[in-house]
Amino acid sequence: MTREPMPTRFDFAAVEVRWQAEWRKREVARAPTHPTGRTFSLILPPPNVTAFLTIGHMMGDTCMDVLVRWHRMQGDAVLWAPGVDHAGLSTQVAVRKALAKEGVRLETLPREEVLRLVENWKNEREARIRRQIDAGGFSVDWTKYRYTMDAGAIRATREVFVRLYNDGLIYRGERIVNWDPKLRTALSDLEVLHREEDSELLTIRYPWADGTQGGLSVATVRPETIFGDVAVAVHPDDARHAGAVGRSVRVPLTDRRVPVIADKAVDPAFGTGAVKVTPRHDALDFQIYQAHTAELELVPAILDLDGRLGSELVPVEFRGIDREKARGLVTEALVSAGAIESRRPYRHSVGRSERSDAVVEPLLSAQWFVRMTDLAAPAVAAVRDGSVRLHPARWERTFYSWMEGLQDWCISRQVVWGHAIPVYYCPACGAEQASVDVPGACAKCAHVGLRPDPDVLDTWFTSWLWPFVSLGWPEATEELARYYPTSVLVTGRDIMFFWVARMMMAGARFTGKPPFADVYFTGLLRDELGRKISKSLGNSPDPLDLIAERGADSLRFALVHPGPVDQDGPFTPGTLDGGRNFLTKLWNVVRFVHGHLAEGEEPTTVAPVLPPGAPIEHRWILHRWRLTISEVDRALRAYELSEAASALYQFLWHDLADVYLEWVRGDLGGAKGDAAALTARRVLTFVTERTVRALHPFVPHVTEELWHALPHSGELLALAPWPREEESALDPEAEVAVGVVLEAVRTLRHLRSEHQVPLAAAPDAWLRPSGAETAALLAAQQDVVRRLAKVGTLTFIGAAEPVPPEARGTVRPSGEYFLAVPKSTPSSDALQRERDLLAGLLAKTRDRLADPGFRSRAPPSVVAETEEKARELSERLMKVEEQLGRPAGPGA
Ligand SMILES: [Zn+2]
């Protein structure tokens, strides 16, 4: 049997697709129906069908897949349930925008036509989202796929509504809601974004109604709403207005009289201390009105649902005019009428719709609400008593503070796309009933022909049920029994309130359990300009393009290493280079090992057992592997995914490739005989195979490919067992000994660079060891030291022995080191070669430093090290150029 040599390059395009197909065929991701032993379950947060997945989604999905594959390799029964979210209002807004580009206004289309268009939109995005998930190599169980508006989700949503309704936790009430006049729907408080904007503060004179001289001055930024005034209010303790309370004023531009009332809610410091009360169009005014219902009359709304002035109360010339335009016209009319006392620029907080950017209109409107206070208590308790743990824990404070200030949740939306509110009204007797099934007749009077509620539910009203509804609730399914509560939720902190907190409330209410034990918040990715990468900004590259260009594994690795996944960081085109470089290194290491395998090499099912007194390098690399795999396990258990990736990166790159491979290179070639070659091959194969295995959760495709090139047992790496830390032993003695050898290498390398020994030269070296033990150790390893430090001879000298005059030295704990520094001036050719080499290295190092992705994501120590390297290279380059008689280049 002859082994095919491995390809020199990793052809990711072919490899990734091949293994994805193989995993599908072998149903690697399929959750066991009757799991025995431990389970690990989670839902894929259902992405909105508004758009396609962004690079931010890919980061979250990579984190989940790392955890999923890690648990699967540990033998846990894993269920990872994918799905998509209908995203009611957002999707309708997206379709509305697309139609507007074709000159069609969504509101003019019949309901059925809108539903058909939105359905098409959803189908297209859903298909592409599924392709994106597959292309990333994410091992979700597609047989558990759910959609937030499939038949089961519709039934579950209605069931929850009816139960909360019957328990008095859902009610319909007239409240001031956030009205989006552009989209013609109510919004929840969370969908309103507040920011400071410039406006104008007017002081308007309201004359006394009885005709006496003077009146009350009222400050407002919304003169167009004066037609809806029902009173002017002052603070009861405001001495300036003491005589005014109980009198009446006339609303300017009209004949209407309204009383002056006293209410503690008025801020005497604002404007003149007197404010107009317009209860249908302002939350505070509505509150004032409610405290004075006996004195005041609630007049009809003076703004319609499109935000235009309209009603009998509005003078004819302003009717039908948009609020923004009306503001100017009413101001002009007030100026002409001599009613304006002052106007000045004014900056204040304005609420805008997250969906349409329209200024949100406070509007008194009948809407459906969920009472939150009682629901919130078990969610808060779960975090306090540790049954739900937030990672990183710093987000707990934010969580508590939000849960304390909870308002009732407005859940009705006036759009077409969404779950219907399951409430029916009887036109005959006026009765109202909530029902899971569409009722045939009135429960009270048996009248047939009930009128359904015209509104739909906020999309989060289904999302908050997702951990149990996606597993089949309210049916008592096998999945719910076996896999609920789920193990972990991985999501962005930007939806901590919209979603995470509400899921905890719903889980406690309907299943009696928190829906997950751990919540892992990933960070937010930012673009080159520092903006959050998001669907709405459209600044995310399409992950499918990146995968086509660089491969899924490069992308996955770059997203978790080296920047911490749970902190915000930039994602730039340069970010992907780190992932690609690492995969190249991994490929080359395995290719080297593969090239040294013997025919019919046995799979390394157990760690090689080393004889007593075995060479320290083998003991050391097994010890390093033991430390590495322990750290990977620790970090993954603690949801420190970047640290786990970093431990494997360091081991592969530095311990395995830089040190061990170089150390045993000679042995592998048989330089020390067959027994030494066999030991080296066994140990090398073992640590390489285990590294490939432990990297599988991070970079599944390339590791699956490489694993098949190494001796292995089993058919698929995806189903192979996770490496156990106790396989190899800790060996502190070997660590100390190799530490001394590596110190010798580093010291000689440092002397080389300090004295600008040309890169190609191998000068002689001398060592005066600090003790007998060190002397024996380094003498035994002098071949390795010479090879790694690239020196010619290494001579051990005693305390009194002199070194040649051309030697330059330095002192370390292990001894005094000397290096022969050539006196003769190197030839101009040699200098030029040296200069080109240095210039190339310097350019590479500077490119790395210039990449903002590297600067902000790499650990500070690595950045500092790289900066130091650039400085050193630059100095050496300058000296070489001086010797060449050229002008020195720019410094570091
Ligand atoms: Zn009835």
Side-chain angles (χ1 to χ4, degrees), residues 204-508:
I204 305 171
R205 165 67 54 138
Y206 282 52
W208 298 121
D210 58 15
T212 46
Q213 200 62 28
L216 260 186
S217 301
V218 171
T220 182
V221 289
R222 301 207 57 190
E224 74 280 13
T225 64
I226 58 171
F227 310 116
D229 290 353
V230 301
V232 168
V234 298
H235 193 278
D237 302 334
D238 192 339
R240 293 172 296 176
H241 302 301
V245 178
R247 299 185 68 176
S248 290
V249 290
R250 190 169 55 75
V251 177
L253 308 179
T254 76
D255 292 330
R256 234 154 41 79
R257 296 159 163 233
V258 297
V260 179
I261 58 169
D263 194 291
K264 284 193 171 134
V266 177
D267 173 11
F270 175 76
T272 58
V275 294
K276 60 204 246 8
V277 181
T278 323
R280 282 193 182 273
H281 304 288
D282 184 276
L284 180 68
D285 291 8
F286 183 66
Q287 190 190 316
I288 294 176
Y289 159 77
Q290 281 186 311
H292 298 268
T293 46
E295 307 150 65
L296 304 178
E297 182 204 351
L298 184 62
V299 299
I302 53 104
L303 284 170
D304 66 15
L305 299 181
D306 293 313
R308 289 178 306 220
L309 283 181
S311 123
E312 297 284 292
L313 300 177
V314 176
V316 181
E317 63 266 36
F318 302 123
R319 288 184 201 164
I321 296 176
D322 180 77
R323 57 195 171 146
E324 308 271 340
K325 197 172 168 208
R327 185 168 308 158
L329 295 177
V330 171
T331 304
E332 276 171 36
L334 287 167
V335 170
S336 310
I340 302 265
E341 287 190 337
S342 75
R343 39 200 305 191
R344 63 178 173 88
Y346 187 67
R347 205 169 160 76
H348 67 132
S349 169
V350 173
R352 284 183 181 268
S353 165
E354 190 195 21
R355 305 292 170 208
S356 72
D357 201 43
V359 172
V360 166
E361 191 62 48
L363 189 74
L364 187 61
S365 158
Q367 301 286 347
W368 290 98
F369 294 89
V370 178
R371 281 184 219 284
M372 297 301 270
T373 324
D374 291 353
L375 291 176
V380 174
V383 175
R384 283 214 196 282
D385 70 21
S387 39
V388 173
R389 295 171 296 267
L390 307 186
H391 309 272
R394 63 177 182 273
W395 294 112
E396 277 180 19
R397 221 161 25 150
T398 319
F399 174 82
Y400 291 134
S401 72
W402 186 75
M403 296 298 272
E404 274 159 22
L406 269 189
Q407 301 283 315
D408 286 356
W409 174 16
C410 174
I411 52 169
S412 39
R413 296 290 181 275
Q414 291 68 48
V415 288
V416 174
W417 184 241
H419 289 270
I421 289 182
V423 172
Y424 301 85
Y425 307 93
C426 175
C429 75
E432 164 190 310
Q433 65 185 99
S435 171
V436 175
D437 299 308
V438 178
C442 174
K444 236 182 196 166
C445 73
H447 175 83
V448 177
L450 299 181
R451 200 166 46 77
D453 194 288
D455 291 351
V456 301
L457 288 163
D458 180 7
T459 194
W460 297 101
F461 194 82
T462 304
S463 317
W464 75 324
L465 315 171
W466 208 236
F468 47 95
V469 165
S470 69
L471 297 181
W473 190 92
E475 309 301 324
T477 59
E478 198 69 16
E479 285 84 357
L480 269 178
R482 309 285 181 174
Y483 291 102
Y484 186 85
T486 61
S487 312
V488 62
L489 174 78
V490 178
T491 186
R493 65 167 188 279
D494 49 340
I495 48 175
M496 187 194 294
F497 311 133
F498 274 116
W499 197 39
V500 181
R502 285 174 182 162
M503 278 194 286
M504 289 167 64
M505 298 180 206

Side-chain angles (χ1 to χ4, degrees), residues 469-751:
V469 165
S470 69
L471 297 181
W473 190 92
E475 309 301 324
T477 59
E478 198 69 16
E479 285 84 357
L480 269 178
R482 309 285 181 174
Y483 291 102
Y484 186 85
T486 61
S487 312
V488 62
L489 174 78
V490 178
T491 186
R493 65 167 188 279
D494 49 340
I495 48 175
M496 187 194 294
F497 311 133
F498 274 116
W499 197 39
V500 181
R502 285 174 182 162
M503 278 194 286
M504 289 167 64
M505 298 180 206
R509 182 81 191 177
F510 297 104
T511 70
K513 294 168 191 162
F516 28 71
D518 290 283
V519 181
Y520 179 60
F521 291 114
T522 60
L524 305 174
L525 291 176
R526 301 193 181 281
D527 67 8
E528 284 140 307
L529 302 174
R531 300 171 307 176
K532 178 189 164 186
I533 287 184
S534 73
K535 287 186 298 264
S536 38
L537 273 177
N539 57 349
S540 172
D542 184 336
L544 283 180
D545 294 342
L546 295 178
I547 289 170
E549 205 181 294
R550 301 292 192 101
D553 284 345
S554 273
L555 176 60
R556 293 170 61 119
F557 201 75
L559 286 171
V560 298
H561 181 273
V565 183
D566 54 34
Q567 280 174 32
D568 297 359
F571 185 88
T572 64
T575 309
L576 285 177
D577 292 346
R580 186 200 51 198
N581 295 347
F582 178 68
L583 295 189
T584 305
K585 189 79 179 179
L586 175 63
W587 185 267
N588 289 340
V589 166
V590 175
R591 202 162 67 88
F592 175 87
V593 175
H594 180 267
H596 286 84
L597 289 174
E599 292 299 324
E601 188 94 37
E602 287 292 306
T604 46
T605 45
V606 293
V609 180
L610 296 177
I616 50 167
E617 61 272 26
H618 306 315
R619 290 164 53 194
W620 175 78
I621 195 69
L622 290 171
H623 163 83
R624 295 298 302 171
W625 171 246
R626 164 72 183 251
L627 290 180
T628 301
I629 191 67
S630 302
E631 167 62 8
V632 172
D633 279 329
R634 183 209 62 77
L636 288 178
R637 276 195 299 271
Y639 294 96
E640 293 170 8
L641 274 60
S642 303
E643 279 76 359
S646 186
L648 288 164
Y649 177 98
Q650 299 293 341
F651 178 79
L652 176 90
W653 203 292
H654 298 303
D655 295 340
L656 184 53
D658 285 354
V659 177
Y660 186 69
L661 268 188
E662 294 303 322
W663 202 316
V664 301
R665 207 178 265 274
D667 300 6
L668 288 169
K672 288 190 202 156
D674 288 351
L678 182 68
T679 307
R681 210 165 55 229
R682 289 244 165 104
V683 174
L684 181 60
T685 311
F686 172 78
V687 291
T688 308
E689 194 267 353
R690 293 304 190 267
T691 307
V692 166
R693 241 199 261 184
L695 278 167
H696 179 70
F698 299 90
V699 284
H701 309 90
V702 68
T703 49
E704 186 75 76
E705 178 79 6
L706 292 173
W707 191 69
H708 288 265
L710 292 168
H712 61 276
S713 55
E715 285 176 55
L716 280 178
L717 174 57
L719 297 171
W722 180 250
R724 286 175 302 114
E725 58 172 305
E726 60 277 10
E727 281 183 308
S728 46
L730 286 177
D731 193 337
E733 207 182 283
E735 173 96 75
V736 171
V738 171
V740 172
V741 175
L742 294 180
E743 184 186 86
V745 172
R746 266 198 310 274
T747 307
L748 292 169
R749 281 182 182 166
H750 186 78
L751 281 171

Side-chain angles (χ1 to χ4, degrees), residues 846-865:
R846 283 187 173 160
D847 279 354
R848 195 156 181 230
L849 286 167
D851 173 13
F854 168 74
R855 278 211 176 258
S856 50
R857 285 174 68 90
S861 63
V862 173
V863 176
E865 216 173 88

